[in-house]
Amino acid sequence: MNDIYFMNEAIKEAMKARELMEIPIGAVIVKDNEIIGRGYNKKETGNDATSHAEIIAIREACKNIGAWRLLGCTMYVTLEPCAMCAGALVNARIDRAVIATKDEKTGACGTVLNIAQNKSLNHQIELEFGVCEDESKDIIQEFFRDLRDFKRKNKNKENFEN
Amino acid sequence: MNDIYFMNEAIKEAMKARELMEIPIGAVIVKDNEIIGRGYNKKETGNDATSHAEIIAIREACKNIGAWRLLGCTMYVTLEPCAMCAGALVNARIDRAVIATKDEKTGACGTVLNIAQNKSLNHQIELEFGVCEDESKDIIQEFFRDLRDFKRKNKNKENFEN
């Protein structure tokens, strides 16, 4: 099993979010070639600002191994983590993050902010971008296109924000 | 009820953490002069890297009001939030954060990083430092002094990290 295999598992998680009309972002955490945590974005349906895919996956992984330090673990995530999630990766001492696509608005792994590799903090994360990039980007773009159509047809003024 | 009253409530939360031998950090979230979320650090006892006082308080507040946007809310917290927690405050659109004491190691509200008022993000938080500063700082310093004594006496080499 390789990075593409595990990123496809993260994409499966993203698809679960899409079914709930959530922005389709998914994540898995892998240790010794085994998935120990999974998560997908549930911010709107869960009414919880912290329910990002990465946070949910970290909580599950910590629970599974019975420790807050996720040493020797890699996170696979379909969109670049925001400040909260990049901070959580640092706090959990994750070794490596494989990120499908950059987030030009809130990405905190080098695109808008650099938290994941910030030398001022006590842990830095090895980063790799671009695994399954086109597929992950397409899923998100398609979601927003569909959402705009839905809103236009339904004159629904609810405000979906990332 | 004023900032000092609510910071004392955050300090009460910090004391609950201390009873569990957790680093004593507490937080409350206030809307319309009422506490809608409380939290204290449970990282070690909960085996969860995300179980910081602020994250727990945000989750509870979101649950209580049934929304992920904590509009019109103020967080009172005894120690400056880290990157994860400052990112969570931004994600939750918290209006204001009242912080008792700075964190020179990981503070992300201006001391080490600036996430709370970062112009590159889509929300900035009004900040106030120094409410009940001495009391909050004393509680943390006393905790680490007691912990060093405990470790020396018990030759306990467990690694407590912030």
Side-chain angles (χ1 to χ4, degrees), chain B residues 131-148:
Chain B
V131 174
C132 305
E133 183 176 1
D134 290 344
E135 196 175 346
S136 296
K137 202 184 278 185
D138 285 352
I139 292 167
I140 292 173
Q141 287 177 343
E142 190 179 280
F143 172 81
F144 280 109
R145 203 166 45 235
D146 291 350
L147 187 64
R148 282 191 296 273

Side-chain angles (χ1 to χ4, degrees), chain A residues 43-44 47-50 52 58-59 62 66-69 82 84 87-88 91-93 112-113 115 118 120 159 161, chain B residues 43-44 47-50 52 59 62 66-69 82 84 87-88 91-93 112-113 115 118 120 159 161:
Chain A
K43 194 179 70 170
E44 300 280 349
N47 285 326
D48 180 356
T50 74
H52 285 200
I58 289 170
R59 291 168 65 94
C62 286
W68 62 261
R69 288 182 193 83
C82 71
M84 172 181 74
N91 287 354
R93 312 286 193 268
V112 179
L113 301 175
I115 291 170
N118 199 302
S120 303
N159 182 20
E161 292 180 57
Chain B
K43 193 179 71 169
E44 299 282 347
N47 284 326
D48 180 355
T50 75
H52 285 198
R59 291 168 64 95
C62 286
W68 62 261
R69 289 182 192 83
C82 71
M84 172 181 74
N91 289 354
R93 313 286 193 266
V112 179
L113 301 174
I115 292 169
N118 198 301
S120 304
N159 183 18
E161 291 179 56

Side-chain angles (χ1 to χ4, degrees), chain A:
Chain A
M1 287 178 287
N2 59 16
D3 284 351
I4 293 172
Y5 172 84
F6 288 120
M7 189 59 83
N8 274 309
E9 291 297 310
I11 290 171
K12 284 183 194 168
E13 293 300 312
M15 302 306 271
K16 294 179 190 170
R18 195 174 73 166
E19 281 174 30
L20 298 175
M21 283 189 68
E22 296 270 4
I23 299 171
I25 305 162
V28 299
I29 296 174
V30 173
K31 186 179 170 80
D32 299 333
N33 233 18
E34 197 188 328
I35 294 174
I36 60 165
R38 291 178 173 270
Y40 56 93
N41 177 32
K42 289 182 198 163
K43 194 179 70 170
E44 300 280 349
T45 44
N47 285 326
D48 180 356
T50 74
S51 277
H52 285 200
E54 302 94 314
I55 299 289
I56 295 168
I58 289 170
R59 291 168 65 94
E60 187 174 296
C62 286
K63 197 174 173 189
N64 275 338
I65 66 167
W68 62 261
R69 288 182 193 83
L70 297 177
L71 303 175
C73 291
T74 297
M75 171 171 282
Y76 295 82
V77 60
T78 61
L79 186 69
E80 183 179 354
C82 71
M84 172 181 74
C85 294
L89 291 172
V90 171
N91 287 354
R93 312 286 193 268
I94 287 251
D95 275 19
R96 184 173 171 246
V98 181
I99 298 163
T101 185
K102 291 184 178 184
D103 184 342
E104 305 288 344
K105 281 186 180 170
T106 63
C109 297
T111 301
V112 179
L113 301 175
N114 174 16
I115 291 170
Q117 295 190 324
N118 199 302
K119 290 283 193 297
S120 303
L121 300 179
N122 61 353
H123 179 75
Q124 290 79 35
I125 296 160
E126 190 190 328
L127 296 177
E128 190 165 338
F129 281 91
V131 175
C132 305
E133 183 177 359
D134 290 342
E135 196 175 346
S136 297
K137 203 185 277 184
D138 286 350
I139 292 167
I140 292 173
Q141 286 176 344
E142 192 180 280
F143 171 80
F144 281 108
R145 204 167 44 236
D146 291 350
L147 187 63
R148 281 191 297 272
D149 285 350
F150 174 83
K151 284 184 180 176
R152 201 171 45 235
K153 285 176 191 161
N154 292 276
K155 291 181 184 168
N156 181 337
K157 290 183 180 172
E158 272 186 284
N159 182 20
F160 280 71
E161 292 180 57
N162 191 352

Side-chain angles (χ1 to χ4, degrees), chain B residues 67-78:
Chain B
W68 62 261
R69 289 182 192 83
L70 298 177
L71 304 175
C73 292
T74 297
M75 171 172 280
Y76 294 83
V77 58
T78 60

Side-chain angles (χ1 to χ4, degrees), chain B residues 35 49 64 102 120 128 144 157:
Chain B
I35 295 174
N64 275 339
K102 290 185 178 183
S120 304
E128 190 165 338
F144 280 109
K157 288 183 180 173

